[in-house]
Amino acid sequence: MELRHLRSFSVVARTLNLTRAAEELHYAQSSVTEQIQALEAELGTPLFDRTGRRLRLTAAGGRLVDYAHQVLALVEQARAAVDEQPDEPTGALVLGALETLCAHRVPALFTDYRTRWPKVGVTVEQGDRGYLYDAVRRGAVDVSLTFGAAPTDPALASEVLAHDRLVVVVPPGHRLAALDEVGAEDLRGLGFLATPPGCGFRAMLEDALLGDVVIEAEVASLAAMCGCVIAGSGCALVPETAARDHVAAGRLTAIPLRGKHSRTAVTMTWQRRSAGRPSVAALLVSARAAFARQPVA
């Protein structure tokens, strides 16, 4: 199986357009078609459905996509590992993080890392936990920063950098605003804004309220959720970091959660095999130092 065939397949699978794929790959369209046909012949099955005017992935093509991404990412990692010098990281690196961490914790880490290692081209990518863990597995993201525990996966390594306190945010003047802390018994019957099912923050809310939670509406973004609370649309459970600026400005009141579910981990995750790359190893060191200098609540 030739790498150029996998690379062409990956681009065609993403664009579902031979003309655009050929332009991106800097090949003639006929060359891209020949490479796809050669890969299909080698695998003994069609990878694209060519009926009608649009390309569609077949079931086999859909299954191949992730493997193609992993192989191509691994080749790039191998090339980077060979090219980099241990005492002078170079190349490209992708740091992925949740929205709240991108806004509040990544800027200082990004600036420190770029100052120390200017020859590394750093890209910061934002996504939810599921996307980020999958991207780390595929090699599309080198290191991710998330809230909560990392998934159990022998290919991944993870480390808790800090813990952030969970708080219930309400508008100033709300009946909970005068409390020093709240527990499940204080929150029963209140309408909460929540992230969609499957999101880590939704699970944190359900754990905190022992499953007895009234969901007023689902909001995918913590920043948007805080904005909705400010506008009077309910209350929400968020990491204190997400609400800190609004609390300082007097737009929200944050009441710490009481009990065993009162904190969430800030977790760094990476591929075990990538830790030998100087650029990745340097980022792990920089992240530990950044969180040690400015620990969260």
Side-chain angles (χ1 to χ4, degrees):
M1 193 177 297
E2 296 188 32
L3 286 176
R4 63 192 181 100
H5 293 171
L6 281 179
R7 189 169 289 110
S8 292
F9 165 76
S10 181
V11 175
V12 175
R14 173 165 50 80
T15 62
L16 295 178
N17 186 293
L18 287 170
T19 301
R20 288 205 301 271
E23 291 173 351
E24 184 173 328
L25 291 162
H26 303 292
Y27 290 152
Q29 183 173 324
S30 59
S31 177
V32 175
T33 300
E34 290 170 2
Q35 291 181 43
I36 297 299
Q37 290 173 342
L39 185 59
E40 290 176 324
E42 181 177 357
L43 295 173
T45 186
L47 300 174
F48 293 95
D49 180 356
R50 297 170 175 81
T51 58
R53 300 183 62 182
R54 296 186 61 187
L55 280 178
R56 291 182 176 83
L57 282 164
T58 63
R63 291 193 295 271
L64 181 61
V65 167
D66 283 346
Y67 290 101
H69 288 165
Q70 291 179 47
V71 169
L72 294 171
L74 186 57
V75 169
E76 291 304 314
Q77 289 175 16
R79 183 177 288 115
V82 171
D83 289 343
E84 286 189 65
Q85 299 299 316
D87 57 347
E88 189 175 11
T90 58
L93 183 143
V94 181
L95 170 63
L98 297 176
E99 173 193 38
T100 296
L101 295 172
C102 270
H104 297 279
R105 301 312 305 263
V106 167
L109 169 59
F110 176 83
T111 301
D112 176 70
Y113 185 85
R114 290 285 294 124
T115 300
R116 290 172 59 84
W117 310 113
K119 293 185 178 180
V120 180
V122 182
T123 299
V124 176
E125 188 166 327
Q126 179 181 306
D128 62 29
R129 288 204 320 168
Y131 167 78
L132 291 172
Y133 290 140
D134 181 62
V136 172
R137 288 189 190 98
R138 292 187 286 106
V141 166
D142 295 297
V143 178
S144 70
L145 297 174
T146 59
F147 287 115
T152 301
D153 187 324
L156 302 182
S158 64
E159 179 179 331
V160 173
L161 295 173
H163 287 84
D164 201 350
R165 185 162 50 189
L166 293 176
V167 296
V168 175
V169 290
V170 297
H174 190 279
R175 67 176 179 83
L176 295 180
L179 299 180
D180 293 328
E181 59 180 14
V182 290
E185 66 278 7
D186 302 305
L187 303 175
R188 289 196 181 94
L190 286 180
F192 273 82
L193 303 177
T195 51
C199 175
F201 294 116
R202 177 67 167 261
M204 291 177 200
L205 175 62
E206 292 172 349
D207 287 343
L209 272 70
L210 307 177
D212 185 15
V213 57
V214 178
I215 305 298
E216 292 282 357
E218 292 179 355
V219 183
S221 159
L222 292 188
M225 193 181 296
C226 287
C228 290
V229 174
I230 291 169
S233 292
C235 54
L237 181 72
V238 300
E240 189 173 36
T241 299
R244 187 168 290 147
D245 291 346
H246 293 305
V247 172
R251 294 186 291 267
L252 286 176
T253 298
I255 309 102
L257 187 66
R258 180 174 61 245
K260 66 178 182 179
H261 300 295
S262 62
R263 291 176 182 267
T264 182
V266 180
T267 304
M268 176 169 65
T269 305
W270 64 96
Q271 281 192 11
R272 292 185 186 278
R273 66 187 177 208
S274 71
R277 283 177 51 199
S279 57
V280 173
L283 181 60
L284 301 183
V285 171
S286 291
R288 294 176 187 121
F291 277 83
R293 285 193 302 270
Q294 188 185 358
V296 290

